[in-house]
Amino acid sequence: MRIHNALWGLLAGAVSINALLHADNEPSAAVAGNLLARTNHDDTDYEHSRSCHNSPKHRACWDGHRNLWTDYEDMSKVPRGKVRKFEFTITNGYIAPDGYNVSKMLVNGQYPGPPIEGDWGDTFEIIVHNKLNNGNGTALHFHGVQQLGTNHMDGASGITQCPIPPGESMKYRWRANQYGSSWYHSHFSLQYTDGVLGPIIIHGPTSVNYDEEYTLLLSDWFHESAFTMFYAEVFGAPPIPESKLLNGKWKFPCSTTDPRCLPSKGGFSGIKFKKGKKYKLRLINTSTTFLQTFWIDGHNFTVAAADFVPIEPYKTNVINIAIGQRYDIIVEANADTSKQTDFWINMKNCLIPPGTPPVECSAEDGRTGIVRYDSSSKMDPPTISNCANNKVCQEEPLASIRPILKKNVPAPPASVLQDLFPSWDSWPNNSVPFEQSLGHKWNMANETFFVDWAKPTYTYLGLEGQRKPFPESYQPIYLNEKDKWVYFVINANFTPTRSGKAPIPIDHPIHMHGHDFAVLAQATHQQYTEGSVKLSLENPARRDTAVLPGGGFLIIAFETKNPGAWLMHCHLAFHSSSGFSLQFIERESEILQQLSGHQAKTYHKQCEDWRKAWETNPAREGLRDSGA
Ligand SMILES: *[C@@H]1O[C@H](CO)[C@@H](O)[C@H](O)[C@H]1NC(C)=O
Ligand SMILES: *[C@@H]1O[C@H](CO)[C@@H](O)[C@H](O)[C@H]1NC(C)=O
Ligand SMILES: *[C@@H]1O[C@H](CO)[C@@H](O)[C@H](O)[C@H]1NC(C)=O
Ligand SMILES: *[C@@H]1O[C@H](CO)[C@@H](O)[C@H](O)[C@H]1NC(C)=O
Ligand SMILES: *[C@@H]1O[C@H](CO)[C@@H](O)[C@H](O)[C@H]1NC(C)=O
Ligand SMILES: *[C@@H]1O[C@H](CO)[C@@H](O)[C@H](O)[C@H]1NC(C)=O
Ligand SMILES: [Cu+2]
């Protein structure tokens, strides 16, 4: 992906960022230019289709009485569904998805792992076998799934479980109150970057009609192990990916004299279009480092859902997707096929800092996959575009994300906004002035997150004996009042840190477990001060991942409706691993009640086994990451 050296230097903090910052143009104008007229719903009769069955012409309905307007956060209103079973074995293996042979960790021998697929309201049962031979534990998290009443199935190691020790298994079971597109991934250290992930597809209503669908997993890709690269983050900056993958495929331009170069294994993923049909594409960003820009040559599209939340449709021809985010888009197969029948699907890294245009058209090859109207074609399309219409590197504007199921947020008294600012600390000794420090770790709310896998949050809460006070590095934020709106500012604007150094202003995709939060405000390069910003309270954007723009702030709110220990972290995996994380302890007295006696015993046994396995694990001596 050839990001130029300036970017590396910038990330490493070695060059002045001013040169790049002055390029901060007026993003709103550029964004508006890209945002085509909103649909008048002329291509969907969804306002009139509340009581029918889901079909290509009636995607807003579901089963006759549930539809796009059903409150899916109320489990009693969700379809009953059936039980869907999956069995995943995690192993080590060699793969070459982009034509370069690398050692990774695989789900059922493949990357990406097989889909978890079913319908709205179904119960999903996933048995995970840890057959890794490198001593790694594992744990599966189901990204964006709210886990209403099943916090213990959240798969966060060090929080809701001890890791699954090598040679052992664990069964997850949860019910899908939401529907849409997402992904599952390991929540053991940096393991998802090394391959342990796959799509989650939950069929339900959609705010735009379509005929058929495809799932597109978009990812950056590294040729080294994430565990090795972690040192690059701590002693410098997040490593730059070598490659990018669309559904686990790409062509890396490697040197054929390199024995790891296997060009015959690389290639482009293709999807087939039939003229006149409409396709739902589930775009799922499973990246580790970069925000990406996505577009398809010769096509416009309509955005129908953001994360697990159906939205009022809007048209565009290019979209930015942060790590962990998803968009369901509907593309009409109506391209001009008189000169070509193959079209590039493009994906480009967004340049950091935010608000700047993408790398010049020539700097990075945007070609990532192919749409084919002639299914027999094997040709590469003639290139139409290698730049995304000046799309700036910024999350989709909040005003575009208007949930169909409307929820308003009560205005907060200014004093209740709690500041969870990110910052840097010197590492390994946080008393050393930053300039003299060897490395750094990330803080959230002035503390570096770190959990002991052998003593998860649940153990401190009293699942294996007495309730004990948390160590500071567990960063619990207690939310004990029931059904109450809580509000947080995540302020990245040069907050004083312990070591006196402010982090370089780049975008951080903030993800929360157990909730869709409302996004009340989002600003780039701007200081948050009380009362200085008008909050969006009337049906604001709701999702599980939103960007904290570089040097700016993000204000979120959610209702304490789901008891549990829920992580909130940066989804740039290397940041989360170096401490950019914290946890909410929501309605503590109700958390452990969710486990049956049998489940509590299983938890204890798995922890005992993990503690035993860990004693002889050589990784004990190395630089350990935050855990989650
Ligand atoms: C990939 O590399 C491993 C280790 O060197 C080797 O065993 C394996 O055969 C290679 N795979 C291919 C397809 O060449
Ligand atoms: C996990 O496996 C990687 C190699 O794939 C190794 O570098 C790392 O130390 C292991 N970590 C743990 C905690 O076992
Ligand atoms: C996925 O997210 C990363 C990180 O936020 C970003 O750089 C990348 O551009 C995104 N991919 C797409 C296709 O939007
Ligand atoms: C995409 O939208 C633009 C602006 O409305 C329009 O000019 C163009 O013809 C559209 N392209 C296609 C393939 O529909
Ligand atoms: C950490 O740094 C401070 C200030 O330089 C020093 O006084 C202290 O001894 C150091 N601590 C350790 C454990 O090295
Ligand atoms: C962060 O912590 C340090 C020392 O623990 C303290 O001096 C400083 O005031 C704190 N900063 C904020 C903004 O809370
Ligand atoms: Cu981050």
Side-chain angles (χ1 to χ4, degrees):
M1 289 224 223
R2 310 288 137 95
I3 316 294
H4 46 69
N5 293 336
L7 177 54
W8 174 257
L10 170 75
L11 284 164
V15 295
S16 155
I17 54 168
N18 291 332
L20 279 151
L21 285 182
H22 83 260
D24 193 14
N25 53 5
E26 272 146 46
S28 48
V31 169
N34 271 316
L35 192 66
L36 310 177
R38 266 181 197 282
T39 48
N40 300 316
H41 305 163
D42 48 352
D43 59 343
T44 155
D45 55 355
Y46 77 66
E47 287 293 346
H48 307 286
S49 53
R50 288 171 182 252
S51 57
C52 53
H53 285 257
N54 194 271
S55 71
K57 294 237 165 344
H58 299 281
R59 291 296 184 187
C61 6
W62 186 239
D63 58 2
H65 47 115
R66 293 177 194 86
N67 55 39
L68 213 41
W69 297 270
T70 303
D71 186 356
Y72 51 82
E73 292 189 339
D74 178 347
M75 203 51 117
S76 70
K77 302 204 166 108
V78 166
R80 184 185 298 270
K82 46 179 176 242
V83 178
R84 310 251 179 194
K85 299 190 177 184
F86 300 84
E87 197 160 348
F88 292 158
T89 303
I90 318 293
T91 55
N92 298 90
Y94 283 94
I95 50 169
D98 59 348
Y100 197 79
N101 190 5
V102 289
S103 164
K104 293 281 165 176
M105 297 182 227
L106 312 174
V107 183
N108 291 357
Q110 65 183 76
Y111 173 86
I116 290 179
E117 185 165 4
D119 291 333
W120 183 20
D122 286 352
T123 295
F124 292 82
E125 201 177 283
I126 301 106
I127 298 174
V128 180
H129 306 290
N130 179 356
K131 291 275 167 65
L132 292 166
N133 61 16
N134 55 7
N136 275 209
T138 194
L140 272 203
H141 169 63
F142 310 93
H143 185 103
V145 171
Q146 285 176 345
Q147 300 286 7
L148 296 179
T150 50
N151 175 238
H152 53 297
M153 294 298 163
D154 196 41
S157 44
I159 312 292
T160 56
Q161 64 168 96
C162 287
I164 309 169
E168 297 199 14
S169 307
M170 177 172 173
K171 180 157 90 180
Y172 295 93
R173 191 181 159 96
W174 47 267
R175 188 150 165 236
N177 63 298
Q178 304 141 284
Y179 51 86
S181 314
S182 196
W183 53 310
Y184 61 88
H185 62 78
S186 165
H187 228 297
F188 175 82
S189 194
L190 286 153
Q191 208 168 61
Y192 94 71
T193 304
D194 273 6
V196 183
L197 63 87
I200 297 179
I201 300 161
I202 302 170
H203 300 281
T206 306
S207 63
V208 182
N209 290 333
Y210 62 92
D211 300 295
E212 284 162 31
E213 64 170 77
Y214 291 106
T215 298
L216 300 183
L217 253 59
L218 320 166
S219 190
D220 48 19
W221 186 247
F222 298 87
H223 290 164
E224 296 304 324
S225 159
F227 290 89
T228 318
M229 293 183 299
F230 182 54
Y231 288 84
E233 162 67 42
V234 174
F235 296 107
I240 305 293
E242 276 85 22
S243 240
K244 56 186 160 193
L245 304 176
L246 177 68
N247 285 350
K249 270 188 111 52
W250 200 54
K251 257 186 193 168
F252 176 70
C254 52
S255 152
T256 46
T257 56
D258 184 336
R260 291 169 70 186
C261 188
L262 308 169
S264 66
K265 299 255 179 190
F268 292 107
S269 286
I271 55 175
K272 286 168 187 156
F273 273 15
K274 239 193 183 145
K275 199 127 194 183
K277 289 219 183 247
K278 287 184 180 163
Y279 294 87
K280 168 150 133 182
L281 306 185
R282 301 171 179 272
L283 308 180
I284 309 174
N285 191 340
T286 67
S287 285
T288 289
T289 304
F290 283 118
L291 187 105
Q292 277 158 3
T293 302
F294 175 97
W295 75 101
I296 306 177
D297 287 352
H299 295 77
N300 297 326
F301 51 84
T302 306
V303 185
D307 296 349
F308 272 138
V309 181
I311 58 169
E312 298 282 347
Y314 71 94
K315 285 189 175 165
T316 181
N317 53 7
V318 52
I319 192 163
N320 286 334
I321 316 169
I323 309 173
Q325 289 186 331
R326 292 88 65 204
Y327 287 100
D328 289 348
I329 63 170
I330 313 299
V331 189
E332 193 171 350
N334 64 354
D336 175 0
T337 48
S338 59
K339 296 197 193 68
Q340 63 184 99
T341 58
D342 302 309
F343 297 85
W344 286 113
I345 299 172
N346 303 280
M347 218 167 98
K348 262 190 167 182
N349 285 318
C350 267
L351 183 61
I352 305 164
T356 51
V359 195
E360 327 80 88
C361 294
S362 57
E364 182 196 344
D365 190 349
R367 300 172 304 161
T368 317
I370 303 171
V371 166
R372 297 193 190 281
Y373 282 74
D374 171 358
S375 59
S376 64
S377 169
K378 299 254 180 307
M379 305 227 309
D380 279 359
T383 300
I384 293 187
S385 62
N386 197 40
C387 30
N389 274 354
N390 300 321
K391 178 78 167 177
V392 293
C393 283
Q394 221 155 34
E395 183 161 45
E396 291 301 292
L398 284 185
S400 299
I401 313 295
R402 301 187 305 181
I404 301 250
L405 175 66
K406 293 189 167 51
K407 297 202 175 182
N408 296 336
V409 179
S415 56
V416 312
L417 284 174
Q418 192 174 337
D419 195 342
L420 306 179
F421 59 97
S423 58
W424 270 352
D425 247 350
S426 297
W427 191 87
N429 179 347
N430 68 17
S431 304
V432 170
F434 198 85
E435 283 67 24
Q436 292 155 31
S437 178
L438 283 173
H440 70 268
K441 289 260 189 158
W442 281 91
N443 288 346
M444 219 179 165
N446 221 12
E447 187 66 48
T448 304
F449 187 76
F450 179 89
V451 290
D452 181 351
W453 286 318
K455 281 192 210 134
T457 300
Y458 277 9
T459 298
Y460 282 98
L461 290 180
L463 194 54
E464 291 189 285
Q466 287 220 299
R467 166 80 168 90
K468 288 189 215 69
F470 286 109
E472 252 179 73
S473 71
Y474 276 56
Q475 276 173 283
I477 295 189
Y478 297 98
L479 305 173
N480 275 327
E481 261 182 272
K482 187 172 178 220
D483 298 341
K484 193 171 160 36
W485 281 94
V486 291
Y487 305 82
F488 298 93
V489 189
I490 305 161
N491 196 355
N493 194 290
F494 304 105
T495 315
T497 67
R498 213 183 326 238
S499 55
K501 174 90 178 180
I504 288 161
I506 64 168
D507 281 359
H508 301 277
I510 303 295
H511 171 57
M512 183 174 176
H513 293 205
H515 290 270
D516 286 340
F517 50 72
V519 186
L520 305 188
Q522 193 179 36
T524 308
H525 295 309
Q526 199 179 315
Q527 178 81 49
Y528 168 74
T529 49
E530 222 172 274
S532 67
V533 55
K534 192 177 173 310
L535 301 180
S536 156
L537 300 167
E538 217 173 291
N539 194 33
R542 263 194 333 267
R543 58 192 319 170
D544 57 60
T545 310
V547 167
L548 163 62
F553 58 86
L554 176 72
I555 302 182
I556 62 166
F558 60 92
E559 218 178 343
T560 54
K561 290 197 310 189
N562 194 15
W566 305 113
L567 278 174
M568 182 164 84
H569 61 89
C570 175
H571 222 295
L572 201 164
F574 293 105
H575 288 180
S576 157
S577 276
S578 49
F580 195 150
S581 186
L582 50 73
Q583 60 183 317
F584 295 103
I585 308 293
E586 182 173 345
R587 292 156 61 175
E588 178 175 339
S589 65
E590 296 166 69
I591 299 176
L592 298 183
Q593 290 171 13
Q594 295 175 354
L595 286 87
S596 67
H598 176 72
Q599 284 169 332
K601 260 189 217 144
T602 309
Y603 170 93
H604 177 62
K605 163 110 186 10
Q606 187 164 303
C607 282
E608 293 272 275
D609 292 348
W610 171 259
R611 292 189 272 260
K612 227 175 285 158
W614 185 238
E615 267 169 34
T616 55
N617 188 326
R620 246 183 116 92
E621 308 304 327
L623 164 59
R624 234 211 72 189
D625 54 67
S626 68

